[in-house]
Amino acid sequence: MAGAFEIKLDDPEADLSQDQYEKVLDNFKLLDQSKTGRLNPQQVGILFRAFGQNPTDEELAEMLRPVPQVGLDVEGFIRFFKGNYRPPTTEDTLLKAFQVFDLEDTGIMSREKFKEMLTSLGDPMQEHEVDAILKEADVDDKGLFDYKSLAKRLCEGPKRIPDMP
């Protein structure tokens, strides 16, 4: 979904460029089907992801929690976007990280080795978080997966919007 819609910010504190502002305004109006000048929390999440952000469903639900049920106007959405903006991780960055552990340069990684690395090295991830990542991998019957395909899939980001309370 990223690409033509993506908005990259060099400085989230700075104002949007004229082109970026117009992109937000045009897409905001498309989602505001009721013509109230506001987007409800689910629509805010849709537009946030449309502009190239790819938080997990849990992260997005947490970000949307403070959004009032009456929604946000354009300026409110821009503050939301800038406040929650994260520079996108590139596929190349992920590939380089995976390659560190691919000593034989096969492009293939073991599910178990991957899980062990992410739950024990550096800033360890929770096992359920690693399991969520591995759901995106095409793990074969030997427990192996092509990490290049996984990197590509992870950079595409989640495709759905989490259910709102």
Side-chain angles (χ1 to χ4, degrees):
M1 190 181 277
F5 287 106
E6 188 171 44
I7 292 179
K8 290 186 179 181
L9 303 177
D10 293 327
D11 177 9
E13 301 295 320
D15 289 337
L16 297 181
S17 70
Q18 186 63 35
D19 286 347
Q20 290 171 329
Y21 184 80
E22 288 173 14
K23 188 183 292 189
V24 169
L25 193 56
D26 290 347
N27 287 283
F28 188 97
K29 288 177 182 177
L30 284 173
L31 277 177
D32 181 20
Q33 295 174 350
S34 61
K35 306 297 180 217
T36 61
R38 301 181 88 71
L39 296 183
N40 68 37
Q42 183 176 15
Q43 293 167 322
V44 168
I46 290 168
L47 196 54
F48 186 68
R49 283 188 168 159
F51 290 144
Q53 296 294 291
N54 60 1
T56 65
D57 290 346
E58 294 79 18
E59 289 169 334
L60 184 60
E62 187 62 32
M63 287 175 200
L64 293 172
R65 200 172 315 285
V67 174
Q69 286 304 307
V70 296
L72 298 176
D73 61 13
V74 173
E75 294 304 320
F77 174 79
I78 290 171
R79 283 191 300 277
F80 174 87
F81 182 79
K82 289 169 52 173
N84 291 291
Y85 178 83
R86 289 195 185 133
T89 300
T90 65
E91 195 174 323
D92 190 49
T93 301
L94 287 176
L95 284 176
K96 287 178 182 172
F98 288 140
Q99 287 168 341
V100 167
F101 299 99
D102 183 10
L103 303 177
E104 296 174 19
D105 197 28
T106 61
I108 304 294
M109 188 168 286
S110 156
R111 173 189 178 90
E112 292 309 312
K113 181 177 180 180
F114 182 76
K115 197 169 190 172
E116 180 184 331
M117 289 181 327
L118 292 181
T119 57
S120 63
L121 298 177
D123 186 11
M125 293 176 72
Q126 297 292 317
E127 194 165 327
H128 73 275
E129 294 171 321
V130 178
D131 288 339
I133 292 171
L134 284 167
K135 283 182 184 176
E136 303 297 331
D138 188 17
V139 181
D140 68 15
D141 56 354
K142 295 178 184 171
L144 302 174
F145 64 92
D146 176 342
Y147 62 78
K148 292 175 185 171
S149 295
L150 177 60
K152 179 178 172 113
R153 175 64 191 98
L154 291 174
C155 286
E156 290 172 353
K159 298 297 184 219
R160 67 177 206 75
I161 301 299
D163 297 328
M164 298 305 295

